[in-house]
Amino acid sequence: MNKSRELLIGLFACVMLAILYWGISFLKGENVFSNKRYFYAVYENVDGLTISRPVTVNGFRVGQVSNINFSKNKKSNLIVEVAIEEDILFSRQSILEIY
């Protein structure tokens, strides 16, 4: 095998890995090429909230739940990470409500 054929096989493998990464992210509901801002909220009970659930503002989808973890300070609290893809301004008094 000559070097140019090995190079083509290596490039093909890299392209296929990139497509695989994009495909898995797409199936999770994530957009790889969008700019995201992350917000955090603390809850005592999330009542069935799961990762990849949509986040809406007035019925319009603006992002999704990206992570849910237990709080390190209090074991009864959960920290919900929300990824917002739209360019929306929020105030510090905004409320993130689960419904």
Side-chain angles (χ1 to χ4, degrees):
M1 244 185 196
N2 57 16
K3 299 232 184 228
S4 65
R5 188 169 179 148
E6 291 174 358
L7 179 65
L8 286 175
I9 292 172
L11 286 174
F12 179 74
C14 290
V15 169
M16 292 309 293
L17 286 173
I19 290 172
L20 177 67
Y21 173 75
W22 177 81
I24 290 172
S25 297
F26 178 77
L27 290 175
K28 286 182 185 177
E30 297 177 9
N31 188 356
V32 178
F33 301 111
S34 70
N35 293 332
K36 296 179 184 175
R37 294 181 302 155
Y38 294 95
F39 295 93
Y40 300 91
V42 178
Y43 297 103
E44 289 181 12
N45 187 0
V46 293
D47 285 330
L49 183 69
T50 59
I51 296 174
S52 296
R53 297 294 296 181
V55 175
T56 59
V57 173
N58 295 332
F60 179 68
R61 187 177 192 273
V62 295
Q64 67 183 13
V65 175
S66 59
N67 202 356
I68 301 173
N69 288 320
F70 284 104
S71 173
K72 293 179 182 174
N73 299 336
K74 294 182 180 179
K75 294 189 180 194
S76 63
N77 289 341
L78 295 164
I79 299 174
V80 177
E81 180 183 56
V82 176
I84 303 295
E85 298 172 1
E86 300 292 327
D87 192 23
I88 298 174
L89 298 176
F90 295 103
S91 68
R92 291 204 181 266
Q93 289 81 23
S94 295
I95 297 173
L96 189 63
E97 183 179 336
I98 299 174
Y99 65 93

